[in-house]
Amino acid sequence: MSFPPLVEPAAELTVEEVRRYSRHLIIPDVGMAGQKRLKNARVLVIGAGGLGSPALMYLAAAGVGTIGVAEFDEVDESNLQRQIIHGQSDIGRPKAESARDSIAQINPLVTVVVHPERLDNDNVLDVFGGYDLIVDGTDNFATRYMVNDAAFFLGIPYVWGSIYRFDGQASAFWPTATLADGSGAEAPCYRCLYPEPPPPGMVPSCAEGGVLGVLCAAIGSIQVNEAIKLLTGIGEPLVGRLMIYDALEMEYRKLKVRKDPACALCGENPTVTGLIDYDTFCGAISDAAADAAAGHTISVSQLDLMLKERENGERDFVLVDVREPNEFEINRIPGAVLVPKGEFLNGTALEKLPPVDAGTQVVLHCKSGVRSAECLAILKGAGYDDAVHVGGGVVAWVNQIDPSQPSY
């Protein structure tokens, strides 16, 4: 069962628009009325990255009249493997501007509104207020919860997607709506599906764990498919359902998602009645890791000096890389030994380190400093009181000490 269309149809389509969208117009479920609704629609895409790239391109090709691009980052070479709206010549450019120019090449008949600032509690409600629908292409939990809460307070539906390695998820959230399955139940929000964020460091980001480039297209196009259905009032959107995609097994599954009566946002006794501190709620690192890193974090410049002193026999320490083996193959800090984070979690790492009473300091590093801080907390608990970790990790090392190595 369909939901009522989100937007009213535009007054007319021009001759040029009729020619361009003719393959839509001859679909009975879309037709002139549906295409006019797309023309009149205002859709905001958050992020012009892996998910945002295909979403923006297909929204533009479909003829969505006004497309907002909320993106503050710049194009990096490592983006090009999956963020197909950008090209080689865009490296170093703001992603929002690169996306705007690409959209103009795809469909000059649509209007693009650029929001080049980072969305936060101070601006998110104002930005969202100008749109009929949100497409969430973010890659961090703090922003996802903020998007969910802001959309709920404004009564705006949004389409969510998530990707990691070979796995993708997608759903649509419209908590003020009634499910279209005839049950009369109210639709859930993101918090009904995920009441709490995962523990800090438990779920690696795409930057840490990687993502198959083509997976972005698979999930991003599904997001646009859901957006078109909601805007035009056709089909059965994923409101109240979670779609799970396994690219390796080529398997799609759908699960029902029900409104949680105890939901902190949309439940019977809500405790979230306004925007909150989402960084604190999600936590970049655990409290234990933050406590361990306080006063026990060194810079890459300090590490460089320590390595030179070790080479001259003036210092004794072991440098431990807690990344994964495939990351270790890409780049590394000279003299580091690989002991992945998983071995710290299961306790086997301690067998590979000098005993606590050996007097040999342990120095940890990862890609950016998050995983190494978590491992540092484990070492502190095991009695390695003088252990430290490297702030900024191998990224800072490559940028500041050894730019001859590739970044990732």
Side-chain angles (χ1 to χ4, degrees), residues 297-315:
T297 302
I298 64 172
S299 68
V300 290
S301 297
Q302 290 174 290
L303 175 61
D304 187 35
L305 177 61
M306 290 171 62
L307 287 169
K308 292 174 181 176
E309 291 176 343
R310 186 174 73 171
E311 185 178 351
N312 295 331
E314 302 170 9
R315 181 189 288 266

Side-chain angles (χ1 to χ4, degrees), residues 229-248:
K229 288 155 61 179
L230 288 166
L231 293 169
T232 60
I234 64 174
E236 186 175 350
L238 283 173
V239 177
R241 296 182 296 163
L242 173 67
M243 191 221 68
I244 302 173
Y245 173 53
D246 182 338
L248 279 183

Side-chain angles (χ1 to χ4, degrees), residues 15-362:
V15 173
E16 184 179 4
E17 288 169 334
V18 171
R19 289 199 303 264
R20 177 178 287 266
Y21 308 127
S22 63
R23 297 305 186 272
H24 272 178
L25 301 179
I26 60 178
I27 301 174
D29 289 345
V30 181
M32 289 290 288
Q35 195 61 49
K36 288 179 180 179
R37 294 185 195 278
L38 293 178
K39 179 179 179 177
N40 211 28
R42 302 163 299 167
V43 176
L44 174 67
V45 178
I46 305 175
L51 291 175
S53 289
L56 287 164
M57 296 168 76
Y58 272 108
L59 287 169
V64 171
T66 300
I67 300 173
V69 184
E71 175 61 81
F72 63 91
D73 202 1
E74 294 182 349
V75 180
D76 182 79
E77 187 174 13
S78 65
N79 301 149
L80 303 184
Q81 161 259 6
R82 65 201 177 281
Q83 300 180 17
I84 57 174
I85 203 167
H86 314 296
Q88 185 71 24
S89 62
D90 296 314
I91 294 175
R93 294 185 65 200
K95 286 184 180 179
E97 294 180 8
S98 169
R100 176 200 61 200
D101 294 347
S102 295
I103 291 172
Q105 290 296 313
I106 294 170
N107 189 352
L109 304 181
V110 304
T111 299
V112 180
V113 180
V114 172
H115 302 276
E117 67 273 17
R118 182 192 294 270
L119 290 179
D120 56 30
N121 287 11
D122 295 329
N123 61 22
V124 65
L125 295 176
D126 289 335
V127 172
F128 281 18
Y131 294 93
D132 303 303
L133 178 73
I134 311 296
V135 174
D136 182 10
T138 58
D139 62 354
N140 67 87
F141 289 100
T143 306
R144 288 173 184 167
Y145 281 97
M146 180 183 69
V147 169
N148 176 75
D149 295 358
F152 172 78
F153 293 133
L154 294 172
I156 301 173
Y158 79 97
V159 182
W160 165 78
S162 175
I163 50 177
Y164 177 68
R165 291 185 176 170
F166 299 98
D167 300 319
Q169 299 181 2
S171 188
F173 298 103
W174 195 356
T176 58
T178 300
L179 290 178
D181 59 5
S183 66
E186 294 182 343
C189 76
Y190 180 77
R191 286 178 180 268
C192 296
L193 177 61
Y194 296 115
E196 299 285 343
M202 180 65 67
V203 180
S205 66
C206 290
E208 292 180 344
V211 60
L212 185 69
V214 72
L215 179 67
C216 303
I219 301 301
S221 62
I222 287 172
Q223 289 182 278
V224 176
N225 184 63
E226 294 306 301
I228 290 174
K229 288 155 61 179
L230 288 166
L231 293 169
T232 60
I234 64 174
E236 186 175 350
L238 283 173
V239 177
R241 296 182 296 163
L242 173 67
M243 191 221 68
I244 302 173
Y245 173 53
D246 182 338
L248 279 183
E249 299 297 329
M250 190 48 66
E251 180 179 80
Y252 287 89
R253 292 184 295 139
K254 284 188 294 185
L255 304 175
K256 288 186 177 181
V257 181
R258 296 300 186 187
K259 183 183 181 72
D260 181 3
C263 176
L265 181 70
C266 69
E268 297 173 358
N269 298 292
T271 56
V272 178
T273 57
L275 300 179
I276 65 173
D277 185 337
Y278 295 96
D279 288 330
T280 299
F281 175 65
C282 295
I285 59 176
S286 67
D287 291 340
D291 291 341
H296 293 85
T297 302
I298 64 172
S299 68
V300 290
S301 297
Q302 290 174 290
L303 175 61
D304 187 35
L305 177 61
M306 290 171 62
L307 287 169
K308 292 174 181 176
E309 291 176 343
R310 186 174 73 171
E311 185 178 351
N312 295 331
E314 302 170 9
R315 181 189 288 266
D316 182 28
F317 67 93
V318 58
L319 177 61
V320 179
D321 187 334
V322 304
R323 297 178 299 161
E324 296 301 309
N326 56 313
E327 295 178 273
F328 193 69
E329 292 178 2
I330 297 172
N331 54 24
R332 67 191 68 177
I333 298 177
V337 295
L338 180 65
V339 184
K341 177 185 172 184
E343 297 186 21
F344 283 85
L345 296 176
N346 64 28
T348 60
L350 299 181
E351 301 172 1
K352 300 181 178 181
L353 301 179
V356 173
D357 57 4
T360 303
Q361 186 181 29
V362 177

